[in-house]
Amino acid sequence: GVMGVLHGLRDRERGAALSTPLIAEECWPRRWVCSSVIEGHGGCVNTIHWSRDGRLLLSGSDDRCVGVTSFERAWEGAFERRLSTVHMHNVFDAKQVPGREDHVVTTAADGAVGLARLDRPGEPSTIFVRERSCISSKCDFLPESPQVVAVPFSTGRVVAFDLRAPLPSPGAAAVTLPDGANDCKFRPGAPCEVAVAADDSLVRLYDLRMPRDQGPGKGFLPWLCFHPARPGGRPARCSGVSGLCWSNAGERLLVNYRAEDPAVFDLGGESGPAFRGREAPACVEDGAAGTLREGLVRFPGRENVETCCKEAVFLLEDCFVATGGDCGSLFVWRARDGALVRRIAADRCIVNCVAPHPALPVVATSGIDSEVKLWDVGGDLVEGDGGLEDAGGDGRRALRGMWSQGFARARNVSEAQARQRLEAADGLRLEGNAQVQQQAWTAAAAHYRRAADELHFVPPSASAAAARARLLASLWLNLGLCALKTDDWGEAEAHCTRVLERDPGCVKALFRRATARWRGDDLDGAEEDLAAAAAREPGNGEVARLRRQVARE
C-alpha cells in the first residue's frame, strides 16, 4: 500500500535494496482514476499499444484507421495523427516495427496485413493480400529478427512475413492449426519459442528450431499444449482462447479463455515444463507424452463470451493481472493468488483491450466505445476489491443493465471533466433552490433539469460516482417537490421513485411519493410508503399527520 511505497522510498534513500519494486505496490491500481478520454475514432477500438519507450500510444479501430498520440498530448483528449491503412474492414492490431518505429504493421477483419507509416500518414502499403475470406489477428515480431512478423489467421495458419523482402509477399507458413488462430506471442528469454492461441481451446507452444521432419504437411509440431480445467480436474467449458501474455522473464504464460476464467501457467526457467503445483485450476499436456500437469492460478469473476479479441496482460512488474469483461469492467487481480484487487467500470458495453505503460503505473483501456481511456494514479484509495464502485448495482448483469439503461448515450469523461460537470450541476441546483425560495416552481424545475443533464456522464472514479449519485438524488427530490407544487402527481411520483430505486430507505422520497399517490387517489400505495417512512423515523410528525389523513379517507 501507500506505506509500502513510503518505506521503499526511505530505504532507497538509505541505499538499501528494495525487496519489491515500488511500481509493484498494490496502492497504484487501487487509486486509478480515468484521467483522460482520447477521442477521434469512429468505431470500436480493437487494439491499443504503447511504444517500447512509452512515448507514443497507438490504437486501431473499426474506422480502419490508426490513431497516434504522444504521452504528453494523450492527456489532452485527442489523437495527434490518424494513419490511413489498406484495410477494408475493422483493424484488429497495430504495432510498431522494432528498430523501425516509423513503420506500423496492421491486421484486420478483411484478412490483409498492412504497413502504415508514421512519417507518411497517407501512404499505407500492403504486406499481404488475402486470398480468401479470413481474419488476420494479433501479431508479434521475432525477437532475434524483428523485421520478421508472425501473423495468425482465422484459417488456422500462422504466417511469417519478412519486411525486408519485396512487398506484398505470400509469407511463409510456420504453423498450421485445425482451428482458427487468434494470437501468437514469442517467449521472452527463449526467442525461438512461440505460443499460439486457437479456437479449439488449446494453447500450443512451438520451438521454431524443431521443424516437422516426418509425416504429412510442413511446419512445426508443438512440444507443449495447455488445456483449461476447473478446480479438482473437472473439464472446462471453453470456446477458444482470445489472448496471450508472457511474463517479463518468460516463465509464466497468461491465457485469456473464452467462457472460462483466465489462467496462468508456470513453465519455470528450464527448457521443459517445471510446474509448481497448487489446486488444479488448469492443466498442461506434454505434446509428446500426453501427461497432465497442474497449472498455477486462475482469475475468477468476469465473463468473456461476447467478443473475440479480449486481451489479458501482466501489470506492474508482473505482480498483477488485468483483463476486460463483457460487463464493461476492467478487472485487476493479484498474480500470485488470483485475489481481485479492483473492478472498474471502463466502457459502456465491453472492455476488450488493456495496455499497461512500460514504465509508469498507468494503463490504457478500450472496447466497444469509440474512445481510449487512460487510467492514472490520483483517486482515493479503494479498499477491498472495489466491487462495482464506479457504477453501483449488484453483479455483472446488474452492471450491464445499468450501462444500457442509464449510460447508453452518456458521455465518457476524465476525472477533471467530471469535477467540472459536478461543479456546474451544483451551481444550477443552488440557482434552483433560490427559485424555490421565491415559489417559482416552474423556473426552479428548469434549473434542476439542466443540472441533471450535466450529470449524464460515465463516472471515471469511485469518488466521482458517489458525488454524482448524491447530487442526482437531491435533484430528483427537488423535482418531485416542484411537481407536487404544480399538481403534477405522476411526475412527482416518478422522480421520487428514481430516488427510492437507489435508496429504498429515503424518508423524504417516501413522504413525497406518498403525497403524490394520495393526491392521485392511490391510497394503498400512499399507505405503503407512509408505513415504510414511519418504520424508518417513528417520530416524524409530517409522516404521522399524512398517515392519519390517508386513513380517514
Side-chain angles (χ1 to χ4, degrees):
V2 176
M3 293 307 299
V5 174
L6 295 176
H7 292 158
L9 290 172
R10 179 198 62 193
D11 294 342
R12 188 171 68 177
E13 289 296 319
R14 294 174 177 175
L18 298 178
S19 58
T20 302
L22 293 181
I23 199 172
E25 290 290 339
E26 199 168 296
C27 65
W28 303 130
R30 288 195 185 279
R31 290 183 179 274
W32 275 340
V33 297
C34 182
S35 296
S36 180
V37 178
I38 305 175
E39 300 178 335
H41 278 303
C44 305
V45 182
N46 307 310
T47 178
I48 44 176
H49 293 287
W50 293 99
S51 61
R52 290 171 182 258
D53 60 9
R55 295 183 177 181
L56 287 181
L57 180 65
L58 280 71
S59 60
S61 168
D62 287 1
D63 62 11
R64 304 175 308 222
C65 291
V66 174
V68 183
T69 187
S70 66
F71 181 82
E72 293 80 8
R73 297 287 300 277
W75 310 101
E76 299 176 8
F79 292 110
E80 294 181 54
R81 285 172 283 176
R82 283 167 54 89
L83 308 183
S84 299
T85 70
V86 298
H87 299 293
M88 304 300 292
H89 215 311
N90 309 349
V91 172
F92 278 169
D93 208 1
K95 289 182 179 175
Q96 288 176 287
V97 180
R100 296 171 64 189
E101 277 72 16
D102 57 337
H103 290 63
V104 178
V105 171
T106 58
T107 65
D110 58 7
V113 182
L115 190 66
R117 298 284 297 269
L118 293 176
D119 54 345
R120 301 175 187 174
E123 301 179 21
S125 56
T126 301
I127 297 175
F128 173 74
V129 180
R130 67 184 179 96
E131 298 174 353
R132 56 191 175 120
S133 178
C134 69
I135 294 172
S136 56
S137 195
K138 306 291 185 177
C139 63
D140 200 12
F141 295 92
L142 190 64
E144 291 188 342
S145 184
Q147 297 301 312
V148 177
V149 59
V151 181
F153 290 86
S154 59
T155 55
R157 298 194 310 157
V158 178
V159 181
F161 299 96
D162 192 333
L163 303 182
R164 297 164 295 192
L167 300 177
S169 165
V175 172
T176 301
L177 307 178
D179 289 281
N182 303 313
D183 194 4
C184 64
K185 291 290 186 296
F186 285 93
R187 184 180 182 184
C192 292
E193 295 182 11
V194 60
V196 180
D199 284 337
D200 62 359
S201 82
L202 288 182
V203 176
R204 297 165 173 86
L205 186 58
Y206 296 86
D207 191 326
L208 300 185
R209 297 167 298 185
M210 301 168 59
R212 178 184 300 184
D213 56 4
Q214 58 184 354
K218 299 179 180 180
F220 299 82
L221 287 173
W223 66 271
L224 201 62
C225 297
F226 301 84
H227 295 261
R230 303 294 296 172
R234 293 180 287 115
R237 297 180 178 180
C238 174
S239 57
V241 178
S242 64
L244 302 170
C245 183
W246 288 100
S247 63
N248 289 331
E251 297 182 349
R252 293 177 292 166
L253 179 63
L254 172 60
V255 181
N256 200 21
Y257 290 105
R258 297 187 192 133
E260 263 299 327
D261 297 330
V264 162
F265 296 87
D266 190 352
L267 278 71
E270 302 180 17
S271 57
F275 296 96
R276 295 190 296 272
R278 292 172 58 91
E279 66 171 355
C283 54
V284 178
E285 179 179 344
D286 189 299
T291 57
L292 297 180
R293 310 275 180 86
E294 291 184 355
L296 181 63
V297 67
R298 54 193 287 269
F299 306 92
R302 63 93 222 218
E303 291 180 347
N304 178 20
V305 177
E306 298 189 11
T307 56
C308 64
C309 59
K310 278 194 195 68
E311 301 168 351
V313 297
F314 285 103
L315 295 174
L316 306 177
E317 296 294 329
D318 299 339
C319 291
F320 302 93
V321 163
T323 187
D326 290 344
C327 60
S329 292
L330 168 67
F331 293 79
V332 182
W333 298 270
R334 279 199 304 265
R336 70 174 184 268
D337 58 9
L340 185 62
V341 172
R342 188 85 189 275
R343 180 177 180 177
I344 309 170
D347 193 278
R348 286 170 290 191
C349 190
I350 297 171
V351 174
N352 284 325
C353 304
V354 185
H357 191 275
L360 299 172
V362 172
V363 67
T365 62
S366 69
I368 302 302
D369 287 346
S370 60
E371 302 95 353
V372 176
K373 301 176 186 68
L374 293 186
W375 302 86
D376 190 12
V377 178
D380 297 329
L381 186 69
V382 177
E383 300 294 345
D385 62 21
L388 301 180
E389 83 275 359
D390 289 354
D394 180 22
R396 292 190 292 271
R397 289 174 179 80
L399 178 60
R400 184 184 303 168
M402 192 205 65
W403 279 150
S404 60
Q405 295 167 20
F407 293 147
R409 289 174 297 279
R411 181 179 176 82
N412 288 307
V413 298
S414 67
E415 183 75 0
Q417 291 169 330
R419 286 196 297 268
Q420 293 172 356
R421 285 174 169 260
L422 288 165
E423 290 172 2
D426 196 44
L428 289 165
R429 180 186 66 84
L430 293 175
E431 292 180 24
N433 290 351
Q435 296 294 328
V436 167
Q437 295 297 322
Q438 303 296 322
Q439 297 188 3
W441 309 112
T442 301
H447 282 91
Y448 295 143
R449 289 192 182 92
R450 287 174 56 200
D453 289 342
E454 288 287 341
L455 299 178
H456 195 55
F457 62 82
V458 180
S461 67
S463 58
R468 177 184 178 275
R470 287 193 299 268
L471 196 47
L472 275 174
S474 176
L475 292 171
W476 290 332
L477 283 170
N478 293 349
L479 282 167
L481 173 64
C482 293
L484 286 175
K485 296 298 184 180
T486 55
D487 297 342
D488 192 339
W489 317 128
E491 186 79 3
E493 181 178 353
H495 288 307
C496 294
T497 297
R498 298 176 86 176
V499 177
L500 292 168
E501 285 172 349
R502 291 153 178 83
D503 182 9
C506 179
V507 173
K508 186 177 290 188
L510 286 167
F511 177 77
R512 290 182 181 174
R513 189 171 72 173
T515 303
R517 287 177 167 177
W518 170 54
R519 294 291 191 182
D521 293 328
D522 180 7
L523 300 183
D524 291 339
E527 170 55 27
E528 180 182 345
D529 285 344
L530 291 169
R536 288 277 180 172
E537 293 185 7
N540 190 308
E542 284 187 314
V543 171
R545 283 192 295 273
L546 182 57
R547 197 174 187 188
R548 288 194 296 269
Q549 191 164 356
V550 170
R552 286 197 297 269
E553 297 186 12

